[in-house]
Amino acid sequence: MEHRSFNDPSAATFSLTDEDHTLANSVRFTLNQDPRVAFCGYSIPHPSEARVNIRVQTTGDPASEVLIDACRDLMQMCQHVRSTFDKAVVDFKMSHPAEAMNIEQ
Amino acid sequence: MPEVSPMDMPDVPMGKLPEHLELQRTRVLCASDAPTHTENIQYSGAYAMMGIDNGLRLDQFCKNFRVEVIRLTEDDMEFDMIGIDPSLANAFRRILIAELPTMAIEKVLIANNTSVVQDEVLAHRLGLIPIKVDPRLFAYMSENDTPNEKNTIVFKLHVRCERGSPRITVKSDELKWLPNGSEFSLATENSTANSTSKPKTYTSFSCSQDSLPIFTDNPIQLAHPDIIIAKLGPGQEIELEAHAVKGMGKTHAKWSPVATAWYRMLPEVVLLKEIEDEKAEELVKKCPVNVFDIEDIGDDKKKAIVARPRACTLCRECIRGKEWGDLVALRRVKNHFIFTIESTGALPPEVLFTEAVKILEDKCQRVIAELS
């Protein structure tokens, strides 16, 4: 859910349900790395409510677009982490065949 | 770091941070009183004044990111993740602990329990036993679902200690998988009405689970056969059925697929000056985890070297005492994580990690879908 003023799309608060620090902190990181972002931060209004508010203020671009781009960046980073990790595991199993055998048993 | 007047600082080439700022950006400095520069500078424009872009370029991340597997066994692994922000490393850790699904015993139907272990304690103990089965083959059971072969695994436990025989220990290998579902029939009002058809049980399996190709040659079993469930004295008996369902660690820790998942930053031990002879031997003795070694440099002279920095626990024993703080520097590398995953046995640790990364991707996908 997006909360913002009608005439200024460059600042908005996004309220995500069923999310916590896991996503919010990672998205805050990718948002901060975007030069279009003037301010961003997140808060969990109440600990027993599964909801997180992410505040994005930009230098002019619509905040929702910037947030989408941040999510996309995060996803691409995840994909790269996954492929690098899989490759490292395969390499390790190749170079340590004895231990790899144990894994299959 | 020695104090230097700004006027005496060396010129720094464009596009590079001055040495002391680079150190503060990339290292946590562990002094004898407290660690300093613990924060991470995330803002892209943090060093804009010096003409440096602190932002993230995806291609740059791809170039610098590295994974090195240190140890990989059946149920635990250690690997180095280099060039990643702690917010992401922590997200993976949190997902591993709380958001990766596994199967665990959720309902226990106790027909008879005359052991000294109370029903509720016994049920709780059963719930915590890890089951060696891929949770991706099963679906979540919501409140209105009837237990069927796609969302429930049924185990039977029936042990009896005969009178006159010694006490017996009930271990987890006594739990027998029932691929056809529950054997306890539901009590119905008109049990005589349809005596020809199968009696209704607590589960409604449409087919046997061991007829599914995945389970025919590897039947579902528990991760460990030697977990003690209860002890029975002569004349005591336990008869029960345990129904396992899919769940997540944030609902109850029994569904957590890891015993622990944790990371630490790489310790960096730097000798700021040459440490020789008696001083070197004193340093080697000071360290309780043997980080330092002595190297002969000829002429009967010895000097201290940092041999095993990874073993450093940052106990700060080596920088205790007056002058030692100027000789040895303890630091942590902010973007180098030593990640350890201990699996409970449901899935191998390397699969757990890739699944965790996939879950973070799904979360992003959900936000993108919601906003566009």
Side-chain angles (χ1 to χ4, degrees):
Chain A
M1 203 180 1
E2 185 181 354
H3 303 282
R4 64 170 174 85
S5 89
F6 281 116
N7 37 25
D8 183 15
S10 74
T13 300
F14 301 90
S15 191
L16 310 178
T17 51
D18 296 326
E19 291 298 348
D20 56 4
H21 299 281
T22 305
L23 182 72
N25 195 27
S26 318
V27 169
R28 185 184 61 176
F29 161 70
T30 44
L31 275 169
N32 257 322
Q33 301 277 303
D34 193 324
R36 294 174 296 175
V37 173
F39 171 83
C40 70
Y42 77 92
S43 82
I44 292 174
H46 196 281
S48 59
E49 211 184 337
R51 174 183 296 281
V52 52
N53 291 341
I54 302 178
R55 176 72 179 169
V56 185
Q57 287 169 219
T58 70
T59 52
D61 297 80
S64 61
E65 265 174 41
V66 175
L67 181 61
I68 289 173
D69 284 350
C71 285
R72 235 171 242 147
D73 272 356
L74 183 56
M75 236 165 89
Q76 280 169 344
M77 282 168 84
C78 284
Q79 277 157 8
H80 182 70
V81 168
R82 197 145 54 89
S83 59
T84 316
F85 178 82
D86 287 343
K87 203 176 153 297
V89 168
V90 170
D91 286 352
F92 183 84
K93 282 183 180 169
M94 295 274 273
S95 57
H96 298 74
E99 286 159 64
M101 291 254 277
N102 283 333
I103 290 161
E104 274 150 30
Q105 275 165 11
Chain B
M1 192 111 253
E3 299 271 327
V4 184
S5 147
M7 306 304 279
D8 301 331
M9 279 189 180
D11 285 340
V12 179
M14 252 336 230
K16 256 195 176 163
L17 276 178
E19 205 184 328
H20 67 292
L21 286 184
E22 185 64 22
L23 190 72
Q24 291 173 9
R25 193 179 72 85
T26 58
R27 302 287 189 272
V28 177
L29 309 181
C30 301
S32 52
D33 50 352
T36 49
H37 305 296
T38 51
E39 77 286 352
N40 256 275
I41 292 145
Q42 295 186 337
Y43 176 48
S44 63
Y47 301 109
M49 226 171 85
M50 281 170 279
I52 290 152
D53 180 14
N54 192 43
L56 175 92
R57 297 283 159 272
L58 205 62
D59 52 335
Q60 213 180 318
F61 169 78
C62 291
K63 208 177 76 192
N64 294 332
F65 181 70
R66 270 191 359 257
V67 172
E68 279 163 22
V69 180
I70 308 294
R71 190 179 71 242
L72 176 60
T73 62
E74 200 176 338
D75 48 23
D76 91 327
M77 87 178 292
E78 183 179 319
F79 62 95
D80 283 21
M81 256 198 308
I82 306 149
I84 196 165
D85 192 78
S87 61
L88 281 169
N90 193 42
F92 298 145
R93 183 192 64 84
R94 285 174 65 95
I95 293 172
L96 277 167
I97 293 170
E99 294 187 52
L100 265 182
T102 55
M103 304 294 286
I105 292 169
E106 167 72 353
K107 274 205 180 107
V108 179
L109 314 176
I110 297 177
N112 188 14
N113 175 21
T114 52
S115 76
V116 290
V117 186
Q118 297 94 325
D119 291 2
E120 64 275 23
V121 178
L122 185 64
H124 180 248
R125 287 181 72 81
L126 289 168
L128 294 170
I129 298 172
I131 301 169
K132 192 174 184 170
V133 62
D134 192 338
R136 290 169 290 186
L137 305 169
F138 290 88
Y140 287 102
M141 186 162 82
S142 55
E143 234 163 86
N144 304 324
D145 282 351
T146 48
N148 61 32
E149 76 281 357
K150 288 188 188 70
N151 58 24
T152 307
I153 305 172
V154 182
F155 293 96
K156 178 177 89 169
L157 178 73
H158 191 180
V159 233
R160 196 182 145 73
C161 182
E162 296 303 333
R163 273 185 200 283
S165 59
R167 277 191 297 264
I168 58 168
T169 304
V170 184
K171 294 197 173 163
S172 50
D173 59 350
E174 299 278 354
L175 275 166
K176 297 281 180 281
W177 177 41
L178 297 180
N180 291 308
S182 176
E183 288 172 350
F184 290 168
S185 53
L186 269 173
T188 44
E189 315 87 71
N190 47 355
S191 50
T192 46
N194 44 6
S195 53
T196 45
S197 65
K198 261 197 308 190
K200 253 186 146 39
T201 63
Y202 283 88
T203 55
S204 44
F205 280 26
S206 62
C207 68
S208 169
Q209 274 170 338
D210 57 3
S211 68
L212 300 170
I214 317 131
F215 299 128
T216 39
D217 36 323
N218 54 334
I220 298 173
Q221 49 185 326
L222 303 167
H224 307 280
D226 55 350
I227 299 171
I228 297 174
I229 296 171
K231 292 196 177 183
L232 296 184
Q236 296 179 346
E237 183 178 3
I238 296 177
E239 184 182 3
L240 57 82
E241 225 172 57
H243 294 204
V245 298
K246 189 173 175 176
M248 271 195 294
K250 62 179 167 189
T251 318
H252 191 289
K254 69 183 175 187
W255 278 300
S256 187
V258 290
T260 52
W262 56 281
Y263 60 76
R264 62 193 179 114
M265 287 182 276
L266 179 78
E268 187 183 60
V269 185
V270 182
L271 302 179
L272 300 171
K273 289 177 192 150
E274 290 273 277
I275 301 176
E276 290 174 341
D277 299 333
E278 291 92 54
K279 228 35 184 155
E281 278 178 18
E282 195 188 334
L283 181 65
V284 171
K285 273 217 194 86
K286 266 164 101 77
C287 183
V289 288
N290 270 322
V291 166
F292 303 101
D293 252 348
I294 287 185
E295 198 180 66
D296 283 314
I297 47 169
D299 303 338
D300 265 357
K301 277 178 106 49
K302 290 179 243 170
K303 77 167 188 185
I305 52 160
V306 184
R308 289 167 289 272
R310 277 177 80 96
C312 181
T313 56
L314 277 98
C315 65
R316 291 180 279 194
E317 201 60 35
C318 56
I319 51 172
R320 208 163 72 161
K322 248 183 272 147
E323 74 280 60
W324 284 101
D326 302 329
L327 297 174
V328 184
L330 293 180
R331 299 170 190 159
R332 299 207 125 173
V333 184
K334 279 183 192 172
N335 66 354
H336 186 137
F337 297 96
I338 301 170
F339 214 106
T340 313
I341 301 173
E342 275 177 35
S343 163
T344 54
L347 288 172
E350 71 273 21
V351 178
L352 287 177
F353 185 79
T354 41
E355 287 301 308
V357 181
K358 274 187 206 160
I359 287 176
L360 189 58
E361 281 171 46
D362 290 345
K363 282 171 180 285
C364 298
Q365 190 64 57
R366 205 194 120 210
V367 176
I368 294 170
E370 200 109 316
L371 288 173
S372 48

